[in-house]
Amino acid sequence: MAGRARKSFLLRASPGVMAAVERLAGAELRSVNAQLEVLVREALTRRGIPLPSDRADDDTA
């Protein structure tokens, strides 16, 4: 993962949403940041939006 370019952004979310994401991340042994990326990728895929295949270390399995 070292050397991969990452884009930072500020996310404002309700405390309830963040608490749910934190619980899910803990259950799936991911950081909150990694869990948010998984959730965004899943949502984009469900909507039919293609993603670049830039994940050599795919940890969603």
Side-chain angles (χ1 to χ4, degrees), residues 19-45:
V21 171
E22 288 168 358
R23 283 192 308 272
L24 183 59
E28 295 186 1
L29 302 176
R30 290 190 176 106
S31 67
V32 170
N33 188 68
Q35 189 66 51
L36 286 168
E37 183 163 352
V38 167
L39 292 171
V40 169
R41 285 177 171 274
E42 288 175 353
L44 291 170
T45 299

Side-chain angles (χ1 to χ4, degrees), residues 4 8-9 12-14 17 19-21 23 25-26 30-31 34 37 43 47 50 60:
R4 284 181 42 203
S8 298
F9 69 96
R12 296 188 203 285
S14 70
V17 168
V21 171
R23 283 192 308 272
R30 290 190 176 106
S31 67
E37 183 163 352
R47 291 177 178 242
T60 61

Side-chain angles (χ1 to χ4, degrees), residues 1-6 57:
M1 188 153 67
R4 284 181 42 203
R6 308 298 276 180
D57 62 338

